[in-house]
Amino acid sequence: MAERRTGGAGPAPGGVPSADATGNSMTLLQNIIDRPLDDDYYTHAPHARTTRGRLAAIAVVAFFALLITLAVLQTRANRPEAETERAVLSRQIEQRKSDIATHQQEVSELTSSVSRLRRQQSGSEALARAQEQRAVVGTVAVTGPALRVTVDSAPDADDRPLARVRDKDLQLLVNGLWQAGAEAIAINGNRLTAMSSIRSAGEGITVNYRSLTSPYVVTAIGNPRTLPGNFVETPAAQTWTDLRQNFGMRFDVSGRDEVTLPAAPRRASTIRHAKVLEVPKK
């Protein structure tokens, strides 16, 4: 049975390709070299842009441009508001600084006023304290309610010396009044101080180196509610009660709503040897 041909020249007898087969092979190789890709790939160029792609790119660019424009416009719109807020804050800061300076000035003035008032108060207290001390020592006149005690010798004291008032009797009476709470005492208008002396001078009695005449009036300023009762309970009052009962000597006690006692003479309040002790400041 004879072999059927499939088309085209077959190989030449003896295994040597024919000229037609060689030409077809060269043509195929040249096509592969010139067009390495399939023909469908070349329907559109690899980098060619289609109309739809260009529209999409334009839309994206326009969108971003719109966003940038809106951001710029918003920034510009917010700038005046930010500047206004900054200006308001600046004014508030300046106002606060002014207020602080004003308050500091007020504090300084108040501090000065307080210091001045303290000095004035201290001076007033010192003055009041000094006046009080002067009243205690007897260098200034004082006034107030008082207890008045009048004593005198017995009518027949010339015949009975024991019925005569002696300096020791007056000293006992004065000490009893001090003990009862008297704050200021005077005998016949002679104010007593810590340096006052009550002593005999011949037939008479002297106080602050001044001679006294009878009767002897001892006036003591003090609390009217307590001074009379306290004095009655003192040994001085009991002794004078005995002198009145046993020797007939005068001993009268009465109260006064208000009396004035003069200041002691300078010689009865002048310190010559005692020195004031300086208290160290804390």
Side-chain angles (χ1 to χ4, degrees):
M1 183 176 182
E3 293 181 3
R4 186 180 56 177
R5 295 182 179 270
T6 59
V16 178
S18 65
D20 291 337
T22 302
N24 291 334
S25 298
M26 294 299 294
T27 302
L28 179 60
L29 290 175
Q30 186 65 39
N31 288 335
I32 292 174
I33 294 173
D34 293 339
R35 302 176 65 86
L37 299 178
D38 190 78
D39 291 340
D40 292 337
Y41 183 82
Y42 294 99
T43 302
H44 299 286
H47 300 289
R49 294 182 178 178
T50 64
T51 302
R52 183 180 299 178
R54 287 194 297 270
L55 292 177
I58 293 173
V60 171
V61 172
F63 177 74
F64 280 106
L66 178 61
L67 290 179
I68 295 173
T69 302
L70 291 177
V72 172
L73 293 176
Q74 184 65 29
T75 303
R76 292 182 178 178
N78 293 336
R79 184 180 301 172
E81 182 179 355
E83 293 178 352
T84 302
E85 292 179 355
R86 187 181 298 107
V88 172
L89 290 176
S90 298
R91 287 194 298 269
Q92 291 179 351
I93 292 173
E94 294 299 326
Q95 183 64 36
R96 295 295 186 275
K97 289 182 179 179
S98 178
D99 293 342
I100 291 173
T102 302
H103 292 327
Q104 288 177 344
Q105 181 66 24
E106 292 176 353
V107 169
S108 178
E109 293 176 357
L110 290 175
T111 302
S112 301
S113 299
V114 170
S115 299
R116 182 173 62 256
L117 291 175
R118 285 180 176 176
R119 289 194 299 270
Q120 292 176 354
Q121 182 179 5
S122 178
S124 300
E125 291 178 353
L127 180 60
R129 183 64 177 170
Q131 287 292 99
E132 181 181 353
Q133 293 300 322
R134 293 178 64 189
V136 171
V137 300
T139 57
V140 293
V142 293
T143 183
L147 186 68
R148 177 166 289 178
V149 182
T150 303
V151 297
D152 199 357
S153 301
D156 57 349
D158 292 339
D159 298 330
R160 294 189 303 165
L162 294 179
R164 182 182 301 276
V165 177
R166 300 172 299 173
D167 54 352
K168 293 182 180 180
D169 298 328
L170 285 181
Q171 292 173 6
L172 179 65
L173 177 59
V174 169
N175 289 336
L177 290 170
W178 287 128
Q179 181 181 352
E183 299 173 357
I185 300 177
I187 302 178
N188 288 10
N190 292 278
R191 181 77 173 275
L192 299 181
T193 70
M195 299 177 63
S196 296
S197 60
I198 303 174
R199 59 185 181 181
S200 298
E203 294 295 327
I205 299 176
T206 63
V207 175
N208 294 333
Y209 305 100
R210 292 181 179 179
S211 297
L212 304 180
T213 58
S214 59
Y216 306 105
V217 181
V218 183
T219 305
I221 293 178
N223 190 333
R225 295 191 301 270
T226 60
L227 183 60
N230 292 340
F231 175 68
V232 171
E233 297 177 356
T234 61
Q238 296 173 4
T239 299
W240 268 99
T241 299
D242 293 341
L243 291 176
R244 180 179 59 187
Q245 293 176 352
N246 297 327
F247 296 96
M249 299 173 64
R250 183 179 179 182
F251 176 56
D252 299 331
V253 180
S254 61
R256 293 291 185 273
D257 293 335
E258 186 174 1
V259 298
T260 299
L261 302 183
R266 185 174 181 82
R267 60 186 176 182
S269 59
T270 301
I271 297 177
R272 295 180 177 84
H273 302 287
K275 303 296 182 181
V276 177
L277 179 62
E278 296 292 339
V279 179
K281 296 181 179 180
K282 295 182 179 180

